[in-house]
Amino acid sequence: AIESDKPVHILLLGEKGTAKTMFLLDIMKRFKDSYFAVGSNTTKAGMINKIFESTPKMICIDELDKMDLDAQESLLNVMQYGIVSETKKTSTREIRHTAWVFATANRDDILEELMSRFLVIKIPPYTYEQFKEIARVKFSHLGTEMIDALTNTVWFKLNKKDFREVEKLSNLCKTVDELAQTVEDMLCYK
């Protein structure tokens, strides 16, 4: 989709903690002319203003399912026809702008017309091996021993499948021994 000549809009749909936001953040690193929005904090006026001001090539929206309906509606013509228009009491403005929209959502509680403009990719829950491989890529700076300890701890001891848990523990603990002690304390005071 990123390399296509014409926009192909992608919606990553899946459970929390499946690294959907990591995908959006990687797009932002790769494309300096991108715009990142969080669904629950985005208004129609804010989205339209941002598109007019900076004409981003990539529009990345995290938690689209939490965006209010007005803001969702503002994406319809941008995605379908590349038209951004706004009419206010005393002024009107319009631009033609081609943009790719990449979004994430935990639920498909999204305007039906908007859903039809996306290629929807449903992210299934990860297997342990997939979880471990993604952690190896994301946290490669920590070293193999620490990554293995973190993924084993989060997956088996804490019984969680969320990469945020790996990140939290990697920020708290610098060694495998610190990790073991921290998790022991966590479980003791759970």
PDB file of all heavy atoms in Angstrom, residues 133-166:
ATOM      1  N   GLU A 133       9.406 -13.131  18.372  1.00  0.00           N
ATOM      2  CA  GLU A 133      10.101 -12.583  17.202  1.00  0.00           C
ATOM      3  C   GLU A 133       9.888 -11.068  17.093  1.00  0.00           C
ATOM      4  O   GLU A 133      10.830 -10.324  16.805  1.00  0.00           O
ATOM      5  CB  GLU A 133       9.630 -13.285  15.923  1.00  0.00           C
ATOM      6  CG  GLU A 133      10.330 -12.811  14.667  1.00  0.00           C
ATOM      7  CD  GLU A 133      11.848 -13.016  14.704  1.00  0.00           C
ATOM      8  OE1 GLU A 133      12.336 -13.957  15.354  1.00  0.00           O
ATOM      9  OE2 GLU A 133      12.551 -12.211  14.058  1.00  0.00           O
ATOM     10  N   ILE A 134       8.680 -10.616  17.325  1.00  0.00           N
ATOM     11  CA  ILE A 134       8.412  -9.178  17.288  1.00  0.00           C
ATOM     12  C   ILE A 134       9.196  -8.469  18.393  1.00  0.00           C
ATOM     13  O   ILE A 134       9.778  -7.406  18.178  1.00  0.00           O
ATOM     14  CB  ILE A 134       6.900  -8.893  17.384  1.00  0.00           C
ATOM     15  CG1 ILE A 134       6.208  -9.403  16.114  1.00  0.00           C
ATOM     16  CG2 ILE A 134       6.631  -7.401  17.574  1.00  0.00           C
ATOM     17  CD1 ILE A 134       4.710  -9.447  16.197  1.00  0.00           C
ATOM     18  N   ALA A 135       9.248  -9.073  19.568  1.00  0.00           N
ATOM     19  CA  ALA A 135      10.030  -8.492  20.668  1.00  0.00           C
ATOM     20  C   ALA A 135      11.509  -8.422  20.296  1.00  0.00           C
ATOM     21  O   ALA A 135      12.185  -7.445  20.617  1.00  0.00           O
ATOM     22  CB  ALA A 135       9.827  -9.308  21.939  1.00  0.00           C
ATOM     23  N   ARG A 136      12.007  -9.426  19.605  1.00  0.00           N
ATOM     24  CA  ARG A 136      13.420  -9.418  19.193  1.00  0.00           C
ATOM     25  C   ARG A 136      13.712  -8.257  18.246  1.00  0.00           C
ATOM     26  O   ARG A 136      14.774  -7.652  18.315  1.00  0.00           O
ATOM     27  CB  ARG A 136      13.790 -10.740  18.521  1.00  0.00           C
ATOM     28  CG  ARG A 136      13.990 -11.857  19.498  1.00  0.00           C
ATOM     29  CD  ARG A 136      14.459 -13.113  18.815  1.00  0.00           C
ATOM     30  NE  ARG A 136      14.641 -14.158  19.820  1.00  0.00           N
ATOM     31  CZ  ARG A 136      14.428 -15.431  19.593  1.00  0.00           C
ATOM     32  NH1 ARG A 136      14.046 -15.838  18.399  1.00  0.00           N
ATOM     33  NH2 ARG A 136      14.603 -16.312  20.546  1.00  0.00           N
ATOM     34  N   VAL A 137      12.774  -7.957  17.370  1.00  0.00           N
ATOM     35  CA  VAL A 137      12.960  -6.838  16.438  1.00  0.00           C
ATOM     36  C   VAL A 137      12.810  -5.502  17.160  1.00  0.00           C
ATOM     37  O   VAL A 137      13.655  -4.622  17.048  1.00  0.00           O
ATOM     38  CB  VAL A 137      11.950  -6.941  15.261  1.00  0.00           C
ATOM     39  CG1 VAL A 137      11.977  -5.684  14.406  1.00  0.00           C
ATOM     40  CG2 VAL A 137      12.250  -8.176  14.422  1.00  0.00           C
ATOM     41  N   LYS A 138      11.757  -5.372  17.926  1.00  0.00           N
ATOM     42  CA  LYS A 138      11.452  -4.103  18.598  1.00  0.00           C
ATOM     43  C   LYS A 138      12.480  -3.750  19.668  1.00  0.00           C
ATOM     44  O   LYS A 138      12.838  -2.597  19.837  1.00  0.00           O
ATOM     45  CB  LYS A 138      10.037  -4.191  19.201  1.00  0.00           C
ATOM     46  CG  LYS A 138       9.649  -3.044  20.094  1.00  0.00           C
ATOM     47  CD  LYS A 138       9.387  -1.777  19.332  1.00  0.00           C
ATOM     48  CE  LYS A 138       8.886  -0.702  20.285  1.00  0.00           C
ATOM     49  NZ  LYS A 138       8.991   0.609  19.759  1.00  0.00           N
ATOM     50  N   PHE A 139      12.932  -4.725  20.420  1.00  0.00           N
ATOM     51  CA  PHE A 139      13.808  -4.476  21.566  1.00  0.00           C
ATOM     52  C   PHE A 139      15.210  -5.043  21.347  1.00  0.00           C
ATOM     53  O   PHE A 139      15.876  -5.433  22.306  1.00  0.00           O
ATOM     54  CB  PHE A 139      13.175  -5.059  22.835  1.00  0.00           C
ATOM     55  CG  PHE A 139      11.790  -4.544  23.093  1.00  0.00           C
ATOM     56  CD1 PHE A 139      10.674  -5.349  22.874  1.00  0.00           C
ATOM     57  CD2 PHE A 139      11.583  -3.250  23.536  1.00  0.00           C
ATOM     58  CE1 PHE A 139       9.393  -4.870  23.107  1.00  0.00           C
ATOM     59  CE2 PHE A 139      10.307  -2.759  23.770  1.00  0.00           C
ATOM     60  CZ  PHE A 139       9.210  -3.563  23.558  1.00  0.00           C
ATOM     61  N   SER A 140      15.666  -5.086  20.110  1.00  0.00           N
ATOM     62  CA  SER A 140      16.962  -5.701  19.787  1.00  0.00           C
ATOM     63  C   SER A 140      18.121  -5.100  20.583  1.00  0.00           C
ATOM     64  O   SER A 140      19.092  -5.789  20.877  1.00  0.00           O
ATOM     65  CB  SER A 140      17.245  -5.585  18.290  1.00  0.00           C
ATOM     66  OG  SER A 140      17.304  -4.221  17.908  1.00  0.00           O
ATOM     67  N   HIS A 141      17.991  -3.851  20.963  1.00  0.00           N
ATOM     68  CA  HIS A 141      19.056  -3.170  21.718  1.00  0.00           C
ATOM     69  C   HIS A 141      19.273  -3.770  23.118  1.00  0.00           C
ATOM     70  O   HIS A 141      20.288  -3.517  23.746  1.00  0.00           O
ATOM     71  CB  HIS A 141      18.747  -1.672  21.835  1.00  0.00           C
ATOM     72  CG  HIS A 141      17.498  -1.378  22.598  1.00  0.00           C
ATOM     73  ND1 HIS A 141      16.235  -1.532  22.042  1.00  0.00           N
ATOM     74  CD2 HIS A 141      17.311  -0.967  23.870  1.00  0.00           C
ATOM     75  CE1 HIS A 141      15.329  -1.214  22.947  1.00  0.00           C
ATOM     76  NE2 HIS A 141      15.952  -0.869  24.063  1.00  0.00           N
ATOM     77  N   LEU A 142      18.314  -4.571  23.588  1.00  0.00           N
ATOM     78  CA  LEU A 142      18.430  -5.147  24.935  1.00  0.00           C
ATOM     79  C   LEU A 142      19.275  -6.417  24.990  1.00  0.00           C
ATOM     80  O   LEU A 142      19.681  -6.836  26.064  1.00  0.00           O
ATOM     81  CB  LEU A 142      17.039  -5.453  25.492  1.00  0.00           C
ATOM     82  CG  LEU A 142      16.104  -4.264  25.674  1.00  0.00           C
ATOM     83  CD1 LEU A 142      14.727  -4.744  26.116  1.00  0.00           C
ATOM     84  CD2 LEU A 142      16.684  -3.272  26.669  1.00  0.00           C
ATOM     85  N   GLY A 143      19.492  -7.035  23.858  1.00  0.00           N
ATOM     86  CA  GLY A 143      20.250  -8.286  23.821  1.00  0.00           C
ATOM     87  C   GLY A 143      19.343  -9.500  23.940  1.00  0.00           C
ATOM     88  O   GLY A 143      18.264  -9.442  24.534  1.00  0.00           O
ATOM     89  N   THR A 144      19.783 -10.599  23.392  1.00  0.00           N
ATOM     90  CA  THR A 144      18.984 -11.825  23.310  1.00  0.00           C
ATOM     91  C   THR A 144      18.575 -12.362  24.675  1.00  0.00           C
ATOM     92  O   THR A 144      17.419 -12.749  24.877  1.00  0.00           O
ATOM     93  CB  THR A 144      19.757 -12.906  22.530  1.00  0.00           C
ATOM     94  OG1 THR A 144      20.111 -12.381  21.249  1.00  0.00           O
ATOM     95  CG2 THR A 144      18.908 -14.146  22.331  1.00  0.00           C
ATOM     96  N   GLU A 145      19.504 -12.397  25.617  1.00  0.00           N
ATOM     97  CA  GLU A 145      19.197 -12.962  26.939  1.00  0.00           C
ATOM     98  C   GLU A 145      18.064 -12.186  27.620  1.00  0.00           C
ATOM     99  O   GLU A 145      17.125 -12.785  28.155  1.00  0.00           O
ATOM    100  CB  GLU A 145      20.441 -12.957  27.828  1.00  0.00           C
ATOM    101  CG  GLU A 145      20.194 -13.586  29.195  1.00  0.00           C
ATOM    102  CD  GLU A 145      21.402 -13.498  30.126  1.00  0.00           C
ATOM    103  OE1 GLU A 145      22.347 -12.750  29.823  1.00  0.00           O
ATOM    104  OE2 GLU A 145      21.366 -14.187  31.155  1.00  0.00           O
ATOM    105  N   MET A 146      18.143 -10.860  27.576  1.00  0.00           N
ATOM    106  CA  MET A 146      17.120 -10.037  28.233  1.00  0.00           C
ATOM    107  C   MET A 146      15.782 -10.137  27.495  1.00  0.00           C
ATOM    108  O   MET A 146      14.729 -10.242  28.127  1.00  0.00           O
ATOM    109  CB  MET A 146      17.593  -8.576  28.315  1.00  0.00           C
ATOM    110  CG  MET A 146      16.683  -7.690  29.121  1.00  0.00           C
ATOM    111  SD  MET A 146      16.639  -8.235  30.856  1.00  0.00           S
ATOM    112  CE  MET A 146      15.732  -6.896  31.588  1.00  0.00           C
ATOM    113  N   ILE A 147      15.826 -10.143  26.186  1.00  0.00           N
ATOM    114  CA  ILE A 147      14.579 -10.269  25.415  1.00  0.00           C
ATOM    115  C   ILE A 147      13.901 -11.600  25.714  1.00  0.00           C
ATOM    116  O   ILE A 147      12.689 -11.658  25.932  1.00  0.00           O
ATOM    117  CB  ILE A 147      14.840 -10.128  23.900  1.00  0.00           C
ATOM    118  CG1 ILE A 147      15.298  -8.706  23.577  1.00  0.00           C
ATOM    119  CG2 ILE A 147      13.588 -10.476  23.098  1.00  0.00           C
ATOM    120  CD1 ILE A 147      15.847  -8.540  22.181  1.00  0.00           C
ATOM    121  N   ASP A 148      14.674 -12.673  25.729  1.00  0.00           N
ATOM    122  CA  ASP A 148      14.107 -13.993  26.041  1.00  0.00           C
ATOM    123  C   ASP A 148      13.493 -14.004  27.443  1.00  0.00           C
ATOM    124  O   ASP A 148      12.392 -14.525  27.649  1.00  0.00           O
ATOM    125  CB  ASP A 148      15.166 -15.091  25.923  1.00  0.00           C
ATOM    126  CG  ASP A 148      15.565 -15.371  24.475  1.00  0.00           C
ATOM    127  OD1 ASP A 148      14.873 -14.875  23.553  1.00  0.00           O
ATOM    128  OD2 ASP A 148      16.575 -16.068  24.265  1.00  0.00           O
ATOM    129  N   ALA A 149      14.208 -13.409  28.399  1.00  0.00           N
ATOM    130  CA  ALA A 149      13.688 -13.366  29.773  1.00  0.00           C
ATOM    131  C   ALA A 149      12.406 -12.537  29.839  1.00  0.00           C
ATOM    132  O   ALA A 149      11.432 -12.921  30.500  1.00  0.00           O
ATOM    133  CB  ALA A 149      14.744 -12.794  30.716  1.00  0.00           C
ATOM    134  N   LEU A 150      12.400 -11.404  29.157  1.00  0.00           N
ATOM    135  CA  LEU A 150      11.203 -10.546  29.155  1.00  0.00           C
ATOM    136  C   LEU A 150      10.006 -11.247  28.529  1.00  0.00           C
ATOM    137  O   LEU A 150       8.904 -11.251  29.099  1.00  0.00           O
ATOM    138  CB  LEU A 150      11.493  -9.244  28.404  1.00  0.00           C
ATOM    139  CG  LEU A 150      12.313  -8.202  29.125  1.00  0.00           C
ATOM    140  CD1 LEU A 150      12.871  -7.166  28.151  1.00  0.00           C
ATOM    141  CD2 LEU A 150      11.489  -7.521  30.215  1.00  0.00           C
ATOM    142  N   THR A 151      10.192 -11.826  27.347  1.00  0.00           N
ATOM    143  CA  THR A 151       9.055 -12.467  26.670  1.00  0.00           C
ATOM    144  C   THR A 151       8.553 -13.678  27.450  1.00  0.00           C
ATOM    145  O   THR A 151       7.345 -13.878  27.570  1.00  0.00           O
ATOM    146  CB  THR A 151       9.408 -12.858  25.218  1.00  0.00           C
ATOM    147  OG1 THR A 151      10.578 -13.657  25.200  1.00  0.00           O
ATOM    148  CG2 THR A 151       9.588 -11.627  24.350  1.00  0.00           C
ATOM    149  N   ASN A 152       9.469 -14.470  27.991  1.00  0.00           N
ATOM    150  CA  ASN A 152       9.050 -15.619  28.806  1.00  0.00           C
ATOM    151  C   ASN A 152       8.262 -15.160  30.033  1.00  0.00           C
ATOM    152  O   ASN A 152       7.236 -15.748  30.389  1.00  0.00           O
ATOM    153  CB  ASN A 152      10.261 -16.441  29.255  1.00  0.00           C
ATOM    154  CG  ASN A 152      10.855 -17.243  28.124  1.00  0.00           C
ATOM    155  OD1 ASN A 152      10.188 -17.560  27.149  1.00  0.00           O
ATOM    156  ND2 ASN A 152      12.133 -17.552  28.236  1.00  0.00           N
ATOM    157  N   THR A 153       8.746 -14.112  30.670  1.00  0.00           N
ATOM    158  CA  THR A 153       8.092 -13.594  31.873  1.00  0.00           C
ATOM    159  C   THR A 153       6.702 -13.072  31.573  1.00  0.00           C
ATOM    160  O   THR A 153       5.735 -13.408  32.260  1.00  0.00           O
ATOM    161  CB  THR A 153       8.955 -12.472  32.501  1.00  0.00           C
ATOM    162  OG1 THR A 153      10.212 -13.045  32.875  1.00  0.00           O
ATOM    163  CG2 THR A 153       8.278 -11.863  33.709  1.00  0.00           C
ATOM    164  N   VAL A 154       6.603 -12.238  30.553  1.00  0.00           N
ATOM    165  CA  VAL A 154       5.302 -11.637  30.219  1.00  0.00           C
ATOM    166  C   VAL A 154       4.316 -12.707  29.772  1.00  0.00           C
ATOM    167  O   VAL A 154       3.171 -12.754  30.232  1.00  0.00           O
ATOM    168  CB  VAL A 154       5.462 -10.538  29.141  1.00  0.00           C
ATOM    169  CG1 VAL A 154       4.108 -10.102  28.591  1.00  0.00           C
ATOM    170  CG2 VAL A 154       6.232  -9.345  29.708  1.00  0.00           C
ATOM    171  N   TRP A 155       4.761 -13.591  28.899  1.00  0.00           N
ATOM    172  CA  TRP A 155       3.853 -14.589  28.313  1.00  0.00           C
ATOM    173  C   TRP A 155       3.453 -15.659  29.328  1.00  0.00           C
ATOM    174  O   TRP A 155       2.268 -15.987  29.445  1.00  0.00           O
ATOM    175  CB  TRP A 155       4.525 -15.232  27.101  1.00  0.00           C
ATOM    176  CG  TRP A 155       3.607 -16.070  26.265  1.00  0.00           C
ATOM    177  CD1 TRP A 155       3.306 -17.387  26.458  1.00  0.00           C
ATOM    178  CD2 TRP A 155       2.876 -15.651  25.119  1.00  0.00           C
ATOM    179  NE1 TRP A 155       2.435 -17.829  25.485  1.00  0.00           N
ATOM    180  CE2 TRP A 155       2.158 -16.783  24.651  1.00  0.00           C
ATOM    181  CE3 TRP A 155       2.756 -14.455  24.432  1.00  0.00           C
ATOM    182  CZ2 TRP A 155       1.345 -16.739  23.523  1.00  0.00           C
ATOM    183  CZ3 TRP A 155       1.942 -14.415  23.304  1.00  0.00           C
ATOM    184  CH2 TRP A 155       1.245 -15.538  22.861  1.00  0.00           C
ATOM    185  N   PHE A 156       4.432 -16.207  30.044  1.00  0.00           N
ATOM    186  CA  PHE A 156       4.158 -17.356  30.905  1.00  0.00           C
ATOM    187  C   PHE A 156       3.887 -16.979  32.362  1.00  0.00           C
ATOM    188  O   PHE A 156       2.916 -17.437  32.940  1.00  0.00           O
ATOM    189  CB  PHE A 156       5.310 -18.366  30.819  1.00  0.00           C
ATOM    190  CG  PHE A 156       5.468 -18.971  29.456  1.00  0.00           C
ATOM    191  CD1 PHE A 156       6.593 -18.689  28.696  1.00  0.00           C
ATOM    192  CD2 PHE A 156       4.499 -19.801  28.915  1.00  0.00           C
ATOM    193  CE1 PHE A 156       6.743 -19.235  27.420  1.00  0.00           C
ATOM    194  CE2 PHE A 156       4.630 -20.356  27.649  1.00  0.00           C
ATOM    195  CZ  PHE A 156       5.768 -20.061  26.895  1.00  0.00           C
ATOM    196  N   LYS A 157       4.727 -16.162  32.969  1.00  0.00           N
ATOM    197  CA  LYS A 157       4.532 -15.838  34.381  1.00  0.00           C
ATOM    198  C   LYS A 157       3.392 -14.857  34.604  1.00  0.00           C
ATOM    199  O   LYS A 157       2.611 -15.012  35.540  1.00  0.00           O
ATOM    200  CB  LYS A 157       5.814 -15.260  34.985  1.00  0.00           C
ATOM    201  CG  LYS A 157       6.857 -16.300  35.281  1.00  0.00           C
ATOM    202  CD  LYS A 157       7.962 -15.726  36.130  1.00  0.00           C
ATOM    203  CE  LYS A 157       8.907 -16.850  36.502  1.00  0.00           C
ATOM    204  NZ  LYS A 157       9.991 -16.380  37.340  1.00  0.00           N
ATOM    205  N   LEU A 158       3.324 -13.828  33.765  1.00  0.00           N
ATOM    206  CA  LEU A 158       2.264 -12.816  33.936  1.00  0.00           C
ATOM    207  C   LEU A 158       1.017 -13.164  33.130  1.00  0.00           C
ATOM    208  O   LEU A 158      -0.021 -12.527  33.285  1.00  0.00           O
ATOM    209  CB  LEU A 158       2.788 -11.429  33.541  1.00  0.00           C
ATOM    210  CG  LEU A 158       3.978 -10.916  34.353  1.00  0.00           C
ATOM    211  CD1 LEU A 158       4.430  -9.555  33.829  1.00  0.00           C
ATOM    212  CD2 LEU A 158       3.638 -10.837  35.837  1.00  0.00           C
ATOM    213  N   ASN A 159       1.135 -14.141  32.242  1.00  0.00           N
ATOM    214  CA  ASN A 159       0.027 -14.590  31.403  1.00  0.00           C
ATOM    215  C   ASN A 159      -0.589 -13.434  30.613  1.00  0.00           C
ATOM    216  O   ASN A 159      -1.800 -13.277  30.562  1.00  0.00           O
ATOM    217  CB  ASN A 159      -1.038 -15.309  32.242  1.00  0.00           C
ATOM    218  CG  ASN A 159      -1.974 -16.124  31.376  1.00  0.00           C
ATOM    219  OD1 ASN A 159      -1.596 -16.579  30.294  1.00  0.00           O
ATOM    220  ND2 ASN A 159      -3.208 -16.278  31.846  1.00  0.00           N
ATOM    221  N   LYS A 160       0.258 -12.621  30.002  1.00  0.00           N
ATOM    222  CA  LYS A 160      -0.189 -11.478  29.203  1.00  0.00           C
ATOM    223  C   LYS A 160       0.391 -11.598  27.806  1.00  0.00           C
ATOM    224  O   LYS A 160       1.470 -12.144  27.611  1.00  0.00           O
ATOM    225  CB  LYS A 160       0.223 -10.167  29.858  1.00  0.00           C
ATOM    226  CG  LYS A 160      -0.457  -9.984  31.207  1.00  0.00           C
ATOM    227  CD  LYS A 160      -0.237  -8.603  31.749  1.00  0.00           C
ATOM    228  CE  LYS A 160      -1.016  -8.477  33.066  1.00  0.00           C
ATOM    229  NZ  LYS A 160      -0.980  -7.132  33.577  1.00  0.00           N
ATOM    230  N   LYS A 161      -0.332 -11.040  26.848  1.00  0.00           N
ATOM    231  CA  LYS A 161       0.076 -11.118  25.441  1.00  0.00           C
ATOM    232  C   LYS A 161       0.295  -9.719  24.870  1.00  0.00           C
ATOM    233  O   LYS A 161       0.190  -9.507  23.682  1.00  0.00           O
ATOM    234  CB  LYS A 161      -0.988 -11.843  24.616  1.00  0.00           C
ATOM    235  CG  LYS A 161      -1.582 -13.101  25.227  1.00  0.00           C
ATOM    236  CD  LYS A 161      -0.561 -14.164  25.505  1.00  0.00           C
ATOM    237  CE  LYS A 161      -1.214 -15.436  25.980  1.00  0.00           C
ATOM    238  NZ  LYS A 161      -0.730 -15.981  27.183  1.00  0.00           N
ATOM    239  N   ASP A 162       0.601  -8.756  25.706  1.00  0.00           N
ATOM    240  CA  ASP A 162       0.649  -7.348  25.342  1.00  0.00           C
ATOM    241  C   ASP A 162       2.095  -6.854  25.331  1.00  0.00           C
ATOM    242  O   ASP A 162       2.799  -6.953  26.333  1.00  0.00           O
ATOM    243  CB  ASP A 162      -0.183  -6.551  26.364  1.00  0.00           C
ATOM    244  CG  ASP A 162      -0.407  -5.115  25.975  1.00  0.00           C
ATOM    245  OD1 ASP A 162       0.422  -4.546  25.243  1.00  0.00           O
ATOM    246  OD2 ASP A 162      -1.418  -4.541  26.420  1.00  0.00           O
ATOM    247  N   PHE A 163       2.529  -6.288  24.204  1.00  0.00           N
ATOM    248  CA  PHE A 163       3.895  -5.775  24.094  1.00  0.00           C
ATOM    249  C   PHE A 163       4.166  -4.618  25.045  1.00  0.00           C
ATOM    250  O   PHE A 163       5.310  -4.357  25.389  1.00  0.00           O
ATOM    251  CB  PHE A 163       4.189  -5.331  22.658  1.00  0.00           C
ATOM    252  CG  PHE A 163       4.437  -6.498  21.761  1.00  0.00           C
ATOM    253  CD1 PHE A 163       3.441  -6.976  20.933  1.00  0.00           C
ATOM    254  CD2 PHE A 163       5.656  -7.147  21.775  1.00  0.00           C
ATOM    255  CE1 PHE A 163       3.660  -8.073  20.126  1.00  0.00           C
ATOM    256  CE2 PHE A 163       5.886  -8.242  20.976  1.00  0.00           C
ATOM    257  CZ  PHE A 163       4.886  -8.700  20.142  1.00  0.00           C
ATOM    258  N   ARG A 164       3.119  -3.961  25.484  1.00  0.00           N
ATOM    259  CA  ARG A 164       3.314  -2.872  26.446  1.00  0.00           C
ATOM    260  C   ARG A 164       3.919  -3.399  27.747  1.00  0.00           C
ATOM    261  O   ARG A 164       4.679  -2.707  28.412  1.00  0.00           O
ATOM    262  CB  ARG A 164       1.991  -2.159  26.717  1.00  0.00           C
ATOM    263  CG  ARG A 164       1.483  -1.372  25.533  1.00  0.00           C
ATOM    264  CD  ARG A 164       0.155  -0.695  25.874  1.00  0.00           C
ATOM    265  NE  ARG A 164      -0.521  -0.292  24.674  1.00  0.00           N
ATOM    266  CZ  ARG A 164      -1.457  -1.004  24.042  1.00  0.00           C
ATOM    267  NH1 ARG A 164      -1.848  -2.153  24.528  1.00  0.00           N
ATOM    268  NH2 ARG A 164      -2.016  -0.551  22.942  1.00  0.00           N
ATOM    269  N   GLU A 165       3.579  -4.621  28.097  1.00  0.00           N
ATOM    270  CA  GLU A 165       4.138  -5.232  29.310  1.00  0.00           C
ATOM    271  C   GLU A 165       5.642  -5.467  29.155  1.00  0.00           C
ATOM    272  O   GLU A 165       6.407  -5.249  30.091  1.00  0.00           O
ATOM    273  CB  GLU A 165       3.420  -6.546  29.636  1.00  0.00           C
ATOM    274  CG  GLU A 165       1.942  -6.403  29.924  1.00  0.00           C
ATOM    275  CD  GLU A 165       1.639  -5.500  31.110  1.00  0.00           C
ATOM    276  OE1 GLU A 165       2.397  -5.533  32.105  1.00  0.00           O
ATOM    277  OE2 GLU A 165       0.646  -4.755  31.038  1.00  0.00           O
ATOM    278  N   VAL A 166       6.051  -5.901  27.975  1.00  0.00           N
ATOM    279  CA  VAL A 166       7.479  -6.088  27.713  1.00  0.00           C
ATOM    280  C   VAL A 166       8.189  -4.742  27.815  1.00  0.00           C
ATOM    281  O   VAL A 166       9.247  -4.623  28.436  1.00  0.00           O
ATOM    282  CB  VAL A 166       7.708  -6.719  26.318  1.00  0.00           C
ATOM    283  CG1 VAL A 166       9.194  -6.788  25.991  1.00  0.00           C
ATOM    284  CG2 VAL A 166       7.068  -8.100  26.228  1.00  0.00           C
TER     285      VAL A 166
END
